[in-house]
Amino acid sequence: MHPLTLSHRAMQAQYAAAAQAEQSMETALAHLPVRQPLTCHTGTPLRQALGRMHEQRVGSVLVLDDAGALQGIVTRADILGRITLPQLSLHTPIGQVMSSPVASLSTEHTLQDAALLMSRQGVRQVPITEAGRVVNVVSQRDLFSLQRLSIKQLGSGLRGATDLAALKPLAAQIHDFARNLLSQGVQARQLTELISHLNDLLTSRLVDLVAQQRGLDLQQACWLSFGSEGRGEQTVATDQDNGLVFAPHDPQQVQEHERARWLAFAREVNEALDACGYPLCTGGVMASNPACCLSPQEWADRFTQWVEDGTPEHLLQASIYFDLRPLCGNAALAAPLQSLLCTLPALVPRFVKQMADNALRHGAPLNWRGALATTQVRGQELLDLKLQGTTMFVDAARLYALAFGLPALGTRARLQSAAPRMGVAAAESNAWVAGFEFLQMLRLQVQLGQRLAPGDNPNAIDTLTLNDIERRMLKETLRMARSLQQRIQLDYGR
């Protein structure tokens, strides 16, 4: 049996007691009890469709075409704004008022996928399809009837918070929700994606609130996320890595009073995030730093200088800032920067070579016998799962994505996108991804209290606490990281 399978089964067994009363979020939608959804044709009159909704006491009706393909949806929430207030005739075909297109999932997706889609789209029901035809519908109630905390409720709370005082307890609930999902066996990719998504909602709400209080137009600026937040890979123990791009009155000459206004705004947001449990960045990678509050041209000039000069400091900065994602505000201001990062590094082979050398600075913590090379501290055998683990995969993925001009941001997406360009079989790139996500899972277990955290390092694990399967898997993962670094050496070491 593959070590990954053994490892996952061991983790599931470890958390089975905590999860036995709850339905696993990894359950495929195909396994849900079938509830025949209410459907109608696009030409069905409103009177008939609404009458059937009332008779069957359901909150929505799915609208299909002649071939049975999903075309739209009408929910109870649509009736007031789309039918009652416009005083539409009840003879109107439902196809004229339906919401379209409809976000749907297939039977192969999981409850976790449905929960994330509901939160992102702000919807309560998601149609389930098989071979293009609707076969079921999953609702918020279905997903969370056995859970104490709903991602939809948490997301709604974050979006609707009116001040910092309301956001603080919600930030704590994000950790509680992550701990709950971890106890159910949700895997690292989905869990870090969820954490990043909820952190995005919280940050976006803070940015909106502060902008409103200061009378600022967010169409004139865009809040940027960098590092793990930019990649959508945040764990629980995370500080701030953010910036701001703003549109000056004169693109050729930024007035300092303009920057000062945005800096004051950013400082308030950074301090509010700190109050919510997201510590200020000790390296100053925050929008309240004048070096991180720039016009589009200033950001472009800064990135260009880093690539052209390639000093050690520039390489360090690139490893953070080049994982850039617009979070809220006017994303069009960040689009040229994203395009620049997809083209510029690949045009400067020297910079790519320097990134490769930088990615090889720290090798896998394995000794000459292939055993774990740990640090002994007061009877503990410690290993830093970030600096001595995930960073090797993250750096390699960023290197190949920038070298090939790929737009992907996440480590998983970057490795899978780069594999064909590298001439690597899918099985090998999938193994890299699995190894990275195994390390992410161990980090989450430490940070969420599933394992004893040694000292103050939220990424360190005492390897003596690992069972035999986990120890084997950790060694195998580190060997994969070493193999990936050897690939970098072959590609760029000359």
Side-chain angles (χ1 to χ4, degrees), residues 1-188:
M1 187 177 294
H2 195 279
L4 272 175
T5 305
L6 291 172
S7 175
H8 183 64
R9 288 186 178 180
M11 289 181 184
Q12 287 290 89
Q14 180 179 355
Y15 305 135
Q20 62 182 356
E22 302 182 73
Q23 188 170 25
S24 170
M25 295 294 284
E26 292 299 299
T27 300
L29 297 178
H31 297 152
L32 289 181
V34 175
R35 185 178 63 216
Q36 188 62 37
L38 176 61
T39 63
C40 67
H41 187 266
T42 53
T44 301
L46 285 174
R47 181 184 298 278
Q48 180 180 339
L50 298 180
R52 292 177 61 195
M53 286 178 62
H54 178 70
E55 291 170 2
Q56 298 187 27
R57 297 183 180 182
V58 295
S60 65
V61 57
L62 302 178
V63 185
L64 312 179
D65 62 14
D66 292 334
L70 182 62
Q71 297 298 304
I73 186 172
V74 172
T75 69
R76 282 179 178 163
D78 296 325
I79 295 174
L80 180 62
R82 296 183 180 220
I83 300 171
T84 305
L85 291 178
Q87 297 183 337
L88 287 185
S89 167
L90 292 182
H91 297 291
T92 303
I94 196 170
Q96 293 184 19
V97 299
M98 66 184 183
S99 297
S100 180
V102 185
S104 63
L105 296 172
S106 74
T107 52
E108 296 179 356
H109 286 92
T110 65
L111 291 172
Q112 170 66 27
D113 296 321
L116 191 57
L117 181 61
M118 287 182 189
S119 180
R120 284 177 169 166
Q121 300 284 341
V123 297
R124 296 176 181 271
Q125 302 98 11
V126 175
I128 304 172
T129 64
E130 186 173 56
R133 298 180 64 87
V134 177
V135 295
N136 204 351
V137 61
V138 60
S139 69
Q140 175 190 341
R141 182 178 299 178
D142 297 328
L143 291 180
F144 299 106
S145 59
L146 297 178
Q147 286 188 255
R148 293 171 295 174
L149 181 63
S150 158
I151 184 175
K152 178 66 166 55
Q153 294 171 338
L154 184 50
S156 297
L158 291 169
R159 291 188 183 95
T162 56
D163 53 29
L164 176 58
L167 283 168
K168 286 182 180 179
L170 292 172
Q173 287 182 28
I174 294 175
H175 290 190
D176 294 339
F177 187 61
R179 186 176 294 106
N180 186 30
L181 292 181
L182 180 64
S183 71
Q184 295 182 46
V186 174
Q187 297 184 22

Side-chain angles (χ1 to χ4, degrees), residues 287-305:
S288 55
N289 181 345
C292 299
C293 183
L294 305 172
S295 70
Q297 188 59 54
E298 288 174 330
W299 275 114
D301 291 343
R302 193 179 186 203
F303 290 168
T304 301
Q305 181 189 8

Side-chain angles (χ1 to χ4, degrees), residues 194-463:
L194 261 176
I195 292 171
S196 297
H197 168 63
L198 293 172
N199 289 344
D200 283 355
L201 291 181
L202 185 144
T203 302
S204 296
R205 187 56 183 156
L206 272 177
V207 169
D208 287 340
L209 289 172
V210 176
Q212 291 171 16
Q213 293 167 1
R214 291 179 171 269
L216 294 173
D217 180 8
L218 285 180
Q219 284 302 301
Q220 300 302 311
C222 181
W223 192 267
L224 306 174
S225 56
F226 305 119
S228 62
E229 185 177 4
R231 298 191 304 272
E233 295 170 353
Q234 282 183 298
T235 56
V236 174
T238 181
D239 61 2
Q240 298 185 46
D241 283 327
N242 50 57
L244 191 75
V245 54
F246 64 91
H249 179 70
D250 180 1
Q252 302 303 319
Q253 183 64 44
V254 178
Q255 299 297 318
E256 287 310 307
H257 71 85
E258 293 181 285
R259 195 189 317 276
R261 182 178 60 163
W262 289 110
L263 281 171
F265 156 76
R267 187 174 303 109
E268 187 173 347
V269 175
N270 288 149
E271 290 173 354
L273 285 169
D274 182 49
C276 287
Y278 303 87
L280 299 173
C281 177
T282 56
V285 184
M286 294 179 294
S288 55
N289 181 345
C292 299
C293 183
L294 305 172
S295 70
Q297 188 59 54
E298 288 174 330
W299 275 114
D301 291 343
R302 193 179 186 203
F303 290 168
T304 301
Q305 181 189 8
W306 293 350
V307 172
E308 291 179 347
D309 293 352
T311 67
E313 177 63 23
H314 292 160
L315 289 167
L316 175 60
Q317 291 173 321
S319 69
I320 301 171
Y321 290 85
F322 283 12
D323 295 342
L324 177 153
R325 178 168 61 91
L327 183 58
C328 57
N330 187 354
L333 292 171
L337 303 178
Q338 294 176 294
S339 297
L340 180 68
L341 293 178
C342 280
T343 56
L344 180 62
L347 297 176
V348 186
R350 176 181 51 80
F351 180 74
V352 175
K353 172 66 165 62
Q354 290 172 317
M355 281 198 303
D357 293 341
N358 196 56
L360 297 174
R361 284 186 308 157
H362 302 291
L366 297 170
N367 63 24
W368 63 274
R369 294 183 293 107
L372 297 174
T374 57
T375 301
Q376 294 186 2
V377 179
R378 294 188 295 274
Q380 295 178 312
E381 298 287 342
L382 302 186
L383 189 145
D384 191 314
L385 295 166
K386 180 179 180 181
L387 294 180
Q388 298 175 286
T390 58
T391 296
M392 290 183 288
F393 291 97
V394 170
D395 286 349
R398 182 188 305 108
L399 164 68
Y400 282 109
L402 294 177
F404 294 141
L406 302 174
L409 274 178
T411 299
R412 178 190 186 96
R414 282 173 165 173
L415 290 173
Q416 291 179 332
S417 298
R421 300 285 296 274
M422 298 165 65
V424 170
E428 185 173 358
S429 63
N430 288 339
W432 295 338
V433 169
F436 167 71
E437 292 177 353
F438 173 77
L439 294 173
Q440 288 281 75
M441 178 60 78
L442 289 181
R443 291 177 64 194
L444 287 164
Q445 290 176 15
V446 172
Q447 294 171 11
L448 291 171
Q450 299 282 11
R451 295 181 184 272
L452 181 64
D456 297 327
N457 186 347
N459 294 300
I461 191 169
D462 181 1
T463 59

Side-chain angles (χ1 to χ4, degrees), residues 353 356-357 360 487-494:
K353 172 66 165 62
D357 293 341
L360 297 174
R487 176 66 187 242
I488 294 174
Q489 181 67 40
L490 288 173
D491 289 342
Y492 298 105
R494 296 182 294 277

